[in-house]
Amino acid sequence: GTSSYRYSRPYPSKNYLCSERRKGRVLNKMLIQEHILKSAAYLLIALLFAKGTHESATLLFGKENEGSVPHFVVNGLSFYLALQLIFSEFKIMMQRNKLPKGYLGWPMSETLRWIIGNNNMKLSKEKVRQYGDTFMTSIFFSPVVIFTTDEDVTWLWNTQRKNLTTGSWPDHWKMLLGRGSVPVASGKYHRMLRRALEPAFAPASVKDYLPRLDSILQEELQKIAASTTSNENFLSSFVRFKVVAMKLLLGSIFEQVDDAGVERVSHDFAIWSRGFAAIVPFEIPGLAMGRGMAARRRILSYCRELVENFQQKEKLQNGEQTSSSTLLGRIMSAIDDDGKPLSLEILSNNILVMLFAGHDTTANSMGTILHFLHVYPEVQDALREEAKTFTEPVTFDQLRDAPVLNAFLQETLRIVPPVGFAFVETKQDLPYKDYTIPKGMKMGYNILLGGHNEKHYPNPTEFRIERFLPDDHPFVVKKKEAGESMIKRSTTNYDEGLYKSSFRIFGGGNHSCLGAQFAKLETRLFLVRILQRYNLDVGESKLRFFPFHAYHVNFRLQKRDEEEAKHQSVA
C-alpha cells in the first residue's frame, strides 16, 4: 500500500512479490530485535544507576545510611522510568506487524536528528527512500506515523472531520496553550469554538482590518529604514520582524496598544514560548516550564485588562467602528451553542493562541520573502512593475488579484513553509490500507514534501513563479521569447487556495489554520509596501529548519527618492 516502487508492467511478477515479502519479514524481524535490545539496555542502565547511587550513598552518608529513604526513592524512580520505557517498547513491538516500517531509535535520538540535523527535507526524503511513502519515526519520546502522499494526507484530514482523531500536543504544551483553546479542544466544544471564531477570519471580515494593518506596517518600515541608514548597519530579520509581527497582531486585535504594552507582551511571550521546549515538562518554579506558565498568566491578565477596556470603549462609542475593524470586536459578537457570548476566559485564552499561531510564522515568513526577493532580481523587477498599478489606498481586492504578487508568495511558501509537520492523535483503532493505527498513536503529515512533490511541481527545488502564472502573462511571455526553458504549470490559478493536500501550508481538516486569510493579507501588504517605497539590501542569509523553517537574513531598507517613488503607485 505504501511502496514507492514503480513497475514497468501492469502487475509485478510472482518472484518479485515473494522477494518483497521476504524483505518485509526481514525488516520486521530487525525492528522487533531493536525493541528487545533497547528494553535490555534500559534495564541494564537502571541497574548500573542503582549501583552508582548505592556507592554514592555509602560514600556520602556511611554504610549505615545506605538504605535511607532518599536512596530508595532515587532507585525507585530509576526503575520506574526503566519499566515505563520497557513497557512502551513491548507495546509498540506487539503492534509493529500492522504499522508502517521505520526506525524509532533510542529516546530522543530521532528527535535530535530532526532538530540538530537542520535539514528536514533531506531526512524526509531519506526516510521515504528507505521505508516508503508512509513511515514511522520517533519525536519527543513518542512513535509517530508520518504520511507524505496527497491520498494519505486527505485520509488523515477526513479522520479529523469524522472526529476519529484529535489534535496531538504534549501535555505541557496543552497547559501552555490552555485546555479551552482552539488547538487543544476537541469534539463538540471544538466545533463550537470554530463556529464562533471563523466569521472573524473570513475574507469579508479580514478586509476591514486592512487600514489598521497598513498604518502599523508603514510606520514600522519607516523605523527600520531610519535605523539602517549606515552602510554597515544591517538588521536581523529574525529579531526585527518579531516586533513587527507582534505589533500587527495586537493592533488588529485591540486596535490600539501602546509601545510599552507591546514590549510587555513581547517580553512575556518570549519566556512563554521557551516553555514549549522545556526539558523538564512540569511546572516547577525557576525552570523553563514554570517560568513559561508564570508568563502565560501575566499575558492573560494583560489581555483581560485590554478586553475590559475595549468593552468600556465600545459602550461609550456604541461600537460601530471598532466592532468591524478589529478582530476582538468581531469575536465579542460571537455566541456559543447556548446563545451566550464567549466568556472572558475563553476570549483571553484564544487571543493568546492567535499570538502563538500568527507571531513566529509571520515573522519567519517575512525573512524568507526578503531572501527570495534578493536572490531573484528579475522577479523583484516584475513585482515592482505590478506594484505601480496599485491605487491608493491599497485594497484587499487589489492584493488578492495581483498575479505576480501571489505567484511569488505561493512559490515562497511552497519551497520554504514555516512549519514542516502537523500532528493528530487517534481516538480509536483506525484501519487504513494494510495498516491498523492503534488508539493513542500519533499521526502526522509532511508539509515540506507536499510542496516538493514532482507530480504537482516539476523541478521542485527550482524557484519558478511561472508555476502559478497564466501562459499569456507578460512575465512568462518574456521568458519564452528569451528562449528560457519553460516549466509545466502546476495550477490554472495563480493562487493555490487553502486546505489542499498538494499545498499543505495551512493544514486541513477540523484543525486547519483559522487565520489563513489574515496571514495572506499580512504578507501581501508587507511585500507591496517594501516594493513601492524602499530599496532592499541583503547581507548574510541562512536557512533554518528548527523551530521554524525559514531564511534568517541580515538586511537593510533604504527609502527610495521622491522621483523614483512617485511612479510606484497611481493615485
Side-chain angles (χ1 to χ4, degrees), residues 70 116 134 166 183 222 238 259 277 312 314 363 387 401 441 449 456 463 550:
I116 296 177
T134 303
T166 185
Q222 287 173 9
F238 179 70
D259 287 346
Q312 290 297 323
E314 288 284 285
D401 297 335
M441 176 67 71
L449 285 183
H456 301 294
F463 187 88

Side-chain angles (χ1 to χ4, degrees), residues 147-218:
F147 297 102
T148 61
T149 68
D150 295 349
E151 178 189 4
D152 294 341
V153 171
T154 299
W155 172 80
L156 186 147
W157 287 349
N158 285 332
T159 66
Q160 295 182 51
R161 297 185 180 100
K162 296 174 182 177
N163 200 30
L164 300 174
T165 57
T166 185
S168 176
W169 305 93
D171 285 340
H172 72 292
W173 283 38
K174 293 178 182 178
M175 293 171 63
L176 288 162
L177 290 169
R179 297 189 184 274
S181 61
V182 172
V184 176
S186 61
K188 184 179 178 180
Y189 180 70
H190 176 261
R191 289 193 296 271
M192 180 277 291
L193 279 179
R194 292 281 301 201
R195 280 197 301 270
L197 298 176
E198 276 175 349
F201 294 97
S205 300
V206 169
K207 65 173 59 178
D208 290 331
Y209 313 144
L210 176 55
R212 181 63 186 150
L213 288 172
D214 195 18
S215 173
I216 295 170
L217 187 56
Q218 291 196 56

Side-chain angles (χ1 to χ4, degrees), residues 324-340:
S324 62
S325 63
T326 60
L327 274 164
L328 182 58
R330 291 197 180 266
I331 293 171
M332 282 174 56
S333 64
I335 55 174
D336 61 21
D337 288 343
D338 297 323
K340 297 178 181 178

Side-chain angles (χ1 to χ4, degrees), residues 300-317:
L300 290 179
S301 175
Y302 184 57
C303 285
R304 283 192 286 269
E305 180 185 324
L306 291 175
V307 171
E308 289 169 349
N309 291 341
F310 188 93
Q311 289 172 328
Q312 290 297 323
K313 183 179 176 182
E314 288 284 285
K315 288 178 181 178
L316 293 174
Q317 297 181 350

